[in-house]
Structure formats: structure tokens, C-alpha cells
Amino acid sequence: MTIIVTGGAGFIGSNFIFHMLDKYPDDRIVCLDKLTYAGNLSTLEPVMDHQNFRFVKADICDREAVFKLFEEEKPQVVVNFAAESHVDRSIDDPGIFLRTNILGTQTLMDACRKYGIVRYHQVSTDEVYGDLPLDRPDLFFTETTPIHTSSPYSASKASADLLVLAYHRTYGLPVTISRCSNNYGPYHFPEKLIPLMIANCLNDKPLPVYGEGLNVRDWLYVEDHCKAIDLIIRKGRVGEVYNIGGHNEMRNIDIVKLICKTLGKPESLITYVADRKGHDMRYAIDPAKIDRELGWKPETMFNDGIVKTIQWYLDHRAWWEEIISGEYQQYYENMYRGR
Ligand code: NAD
Ligand code: TYD
């Protein structure tokens, strides 16, 4: 089987490629990635010489390049991870989010229609459901929770989801969608909460917590997300949405304190900064459907996963130091200076 994985030079896509090549060495994986600021070819170094792996630098919005690749590879499955993924950047500059996340999805699905595929899988997010109140811990997102987005990022992801379902209903395209909670683990780009706090701690820099740090996210170890997608593309029902999450809700401030403690750094590094605009309070996934239908359960508990993740950042300093030494510095200045 040939699988096109878009966005495979980013955080979750690269972990997915490693998982797939390891588990199914006879399947061919073709990674299509534009290598934006978030894509890193060095991440894919361990598989570059794998006989069943091919990397192609291209934009998912580039119709000609995408169609040419489908013509050459005739994939059976497409898994679309490619996206602009950072909420703060979407607040600053929404346009690129609409282009990549919506029009890129359209381009990929048009190629799927033209060349024919067995499955198109859209990697979506729990953020399409908006947020839940902190004082109702009994509420969770299910697959039937109405779409109710807050940020340009989540609005673009929700738009793409609607388009994917429309291509299924109108053209009969065999699609599935997964909506996962916040991931953490190796190769997470250091603009996101957990790797940013680890990197800043290791550099004895202030730890910028938005608002009062009381917002809750539902954290899942990236490998568990990859295993869930693998199951969905093989056994999931066409036309269906599957929520993915591990019932691991944590307040931001508690995560930052845990990182300080694990690295032996003082909590005095914590600096409360101006809140994110439209900041979602709480995300919490009900994963009952994927458990019931596909037998998926998370395998890595947060206490183990966070220790493994911190150790990975200690062992791979060169990977993230290279990233934060480049254009990231300008981003950090703009986002955090005087905040
Ligand atoms: P990321 O930002 O780390 O990686 C995105 C990748 O997509 C990069 O390699 C980038 O170069 C590539 N890309 C961006 N624009 C492109 C374009 N126009 N054409 C081709 N490639 C392009 O993102 P991530 O955290 O790995 O997220 C992957 C997917 O999972 C996204 O669709 C995101 O919405 C979704 N998701 C992420 C999380 C999370 O916690 N990170 C949770 C749920 C869902
Ligand atoms: P993030 O990793 O950007 O993921 P998302 O917004 O998609 O959930 O942020 C996770 C939480 O951490 C979110 O509530 C915002 C907060 N946060 C901070 O407090 N400080 C930071 O520097 C960052 C990047 C995030």
C-alpha cells in the first residue's frame, strides 16, 4: 500500500511516519511537506534512506505539484497532517491559515477524486468544538457536539472538516476525520506550551503563562494519537468522525510547575503575561466511540509521558537549539516582548 502523508516534517506527522515505517515496513510512505517554519527535514533524517520512504517538498495548495505526485505514486491512502497549527500565529495573521488549512484540503481531495483512493483521512482537532466551562467537569466533547470555534485556527480546521464531509456526501469520497486533543512528545515545535517551557527552563528564561494559567487542556502522548490514526485508516467507518483523547486534563500552571520541578528549576521563573485573545478555557474529549468501535485506548499515562518528553528534549538539545536560534527569535520577540 502507498500512503501519502502530508505535513510529515512537523511534530505529529513525523511521529506518524516513524510509527508506520516501523510497523509496516512493506508499505510505501510518501511525505509531502512545504517545509514551512514548522517543518524540519532533519527530523526525518532517520528514515531518509529507508527504501520505502520518499520525501517531496511541495505545498498542498499547489495543484500542479499535488496532481503530479498522485500521478506518479497512485496512493491508496492520504493522511493530511499539513496545516498551520499555532493559535497565537492565527490571531496575528489569519490569511495563511485559511489558505493552507482549507484550500490545501480541497486541493488534496480534488486529487483524490481524480486519481481515486481507498481512504482520505483528515487530521483535525478538538478545538473545532470551542471550549467547555471550568465549572462543569461533567461535560465532554463528543462527535455530535456542535462546531463552535473561537480562533482563526480552529475556524479554519472546522471549515476543512465541513468540506471533507461535503466531499463524502456529494462525491462519495471515502473519508474519515479524527479530532484529537493536545499532543505532547518528541519533535514538538518549541512555540507550543510544553516544549517552550522545557526550552526556557533549560535556558533559565522566564516562563510566560497566559492569564492566570487556569485554562485546561486534555493531553495525549503523540504516539497514542498516531496509533489511533493508524486504526482509523484501516478499520474506521467511512464518513465518520472519531474523537481521540485520553481523559488527561491538566491546568497550564500545573504543567509548568511540574516541568520546573522535574528540571530542578525555581518556580520564580514563572511570569504571568497578558492572556491570549478569545482564549479557550477547557478542552475535554470523550473518546468512547473510538474505544467502542476500534478498541483504541491510550497507552502512555501523562506522568510517564512527560518524563519521557523532558528527557527527549535533554537528549536532543541540538534539534531545538537550532530551531530557536533562527527566525524563531523574531517570532518570540513579537509575541512576548512587553506582553
Ligand atoms: P506542525 O505545525 O508541527 O507541523 C505542520 C507541518 O505541515 C509542517 O511540517 C509544515 O511544514 C507542514 N505544512 C504547513 N503548511 C503546509 C503546506 N501549505 N503544504 C505542505 N505542508 C505544509 O503541526 P502538528 O502539531 O504536527 O499538527 C499536525 C496536524 O494535527 C495539524 O493538522 C493540526 O491541526 C492537527 N492537530 C494537532 C494537535 C497538537 O496538539 N499539535 C492536536 C490535534 C490536531
Ligand atoms: P498551545 O500549546 O499553544 O496549544 P493550544 O492553544 O492549541 O491548546 O497552548 C496550550 C495552552 O497553554 C493554552 O491554554 C495557551 C497556554 N500557553 C501559555 O500559557 N503560554 C505560552 O507561552 C503558550 C505558547 C501557551
Side-chain angles (χ1 to χ4, degrees):
M1 167 155 99
T2 297
I3 306 176
I4 290 189
V5 176
T6 68
F11 167 41
I12 309 174
S14 59
N15 278 281
F16 181 74
I17 289 172
F18 298 147
H19 166 81
M20 296 297 278
L21 284 173
D22 192 45
K23 192 163 170 202
Y24 312 100
D26 294 334
D27 281 353
R28 177 169 170 77
I29 302 282
V30 179
C31 172
L32 184 155
D33 197 298
K34 186 183 177 184
L35 296 180
T36 67
Y37 79 91
N40 200 330
L41 210 46
S42 75
T43 300
L44 292 172
E45 178 117 52
V47 295
M48 271 308 183
D49 292 332
H50 194 295
Q51 58 172 0
N52 279 334
F53 179 73
R54 176 182 174 198
F55 179 82
V56 176
K57 183 176 185 306
D59 185 335
I60 57 167
C61 302
D62 181 344
R63 206 158 257 273
E64 206 179 307
V66 168
F67 279 50
K68 180 167 169 278
L69 187 63
F70 274 68
E71 178 86 50
E72 286 168 8
E73 295 287 346
K74 305 274 182 333
Q76 281 77 43
V77 175
V78 175
V79 183
N80 182 24
F81 290 93
E84 288 293 333
S85 68
H86 192 35
V87 173
D88 292 324
R89 288 187 193 250
S90 83
I91 294 168
D92 225 33
D93 183 13
I96 183 76
F97 285 72
L98 308 193
R99 181 181 179 275
T100 292
N101 299 0
I102 306 172
L103 298 180
T105 298
Q106 182 211 353
T107 308
L108 289 171
M109 290 195 299
D110 284 345
C112 290
R113 282 184 62 209
K114 175 161 184 202
Y115 293 97
I117 38 101
V118 177
R119 180 67 61 87
Y120 172 86
H121 183 74
Q122 177 75 359
V123 180
S124 185
T125 163
D126 61 355
E127 301 193 27
V128 302
Y129 299 121
D131 64 352
L132 295 163
L134 289 182
D135 60 358
R136 289 294 306 276
D138 55 314
L139 295 180
F140 297 93
F141 298 137
T142 72
E143 289 79 0
T144 54
T145 299
I147 299 283
H148 189 77
T149 52
S150 311
S151 69
Y153 163 68
S154 55
S156 68
K157 293 295 289 184
S159 307
D161 284 12
L162 295 177
L163 201 59
V164 171
L165 294 174
Y167 268 55
H168 173 60
R169 169 89 186 239
T170 305
Y171 307 117
L173 197 71
V175 307
T176 37
I177 296 176
S178 53
R179 294 181 179 147
C180 191
S181 59
N182 286 63
N183 285 212
Y184 68 101
Y187 301 107
H188 203 178
F189 194 85
E191 67 188 349
K192 307 282 171 60
L193 178 77
I194 289 181
L196 184 145
M197 296 300 167
I198 296 172
N200 282 17
C201 253
L202 289 171
N203 286 331
D204 298 304
K205 284 181 63 181
L207 308 176
V209 171
Y210 299 167
E212 295 179 90
L214 302 180
N215 307 64
V216 169
R217 297 291 183 265
D218 183 359
W219 294 94
L220 185 73
Y221 194 61
V222 63
E223 202 174 67
D224 282 323
H225 185 187
C226 296
K227 288 179 179 169
I229 294 173
D230 178 10
L231 264 179
I232 294 169
I233 59 178
R234 276 159 216 275
K235 299 193 181 137
R237 285 186 294 134
V238 161
E240 292 291 315
V241 173
Y242 291 91
N243 281 355
I244 308 171
H247 281 304
N248 184 72
E249 292 178 51
M250 302 268 296
R251 298 188 313 179
N252 295 340
I253 187 65
D254 295 330
I255 297 218
V256 177
K257 285 183 177 172
L258 180 63
I259 292 171
C260 288
K261 189 164 164 233
T262 310
L263 288 172
K265 298 289 180 175
E267 286 183 9
S268 56
L269 285 174
I270 294 173
T271 315
Y272 292 93
V273 302
D275 210 350
R276 174 185 279 173
K277 290 189 182 79
H279 199 170
D280 281 337
M281 280 316 300
R282 170 177 170 247
Y283 301 145
I285 282 275
D286 175 359
K289 179 175 174 181
I290 188 167
D291 183 356
R292 192 176 59 243
E293 288 192 15
L294 307 180
W296 177 88
K297 281 187 178 26
E299 291 167 24
T300 299
M301 295 301 107
F302 189 76
N303 284 344
D304 300 327
I306 193 71
V307 170
K308 271 204 278 187
T309 302
I310 292 173
Q311 190 59 48
W312 188 90
Y313 280 85
L314 283 165
D315 294 342
H316 295 80
R317 268 194 106 112
W319 181 86
W320 57 267
E321 275 180 347
E322 165 79 20
I323 290 171
I324 65 172
S325 68
E327 62 178 303
Y328 179 87
Q329 297 223 335
Q330 189 58 47
Y331 161 80
Y332 200 89
E333 266 295 289
N334 291 344
M335 194 59 76
Y336 293 95
R337 195 174 45 137
R339 182 166 180 161

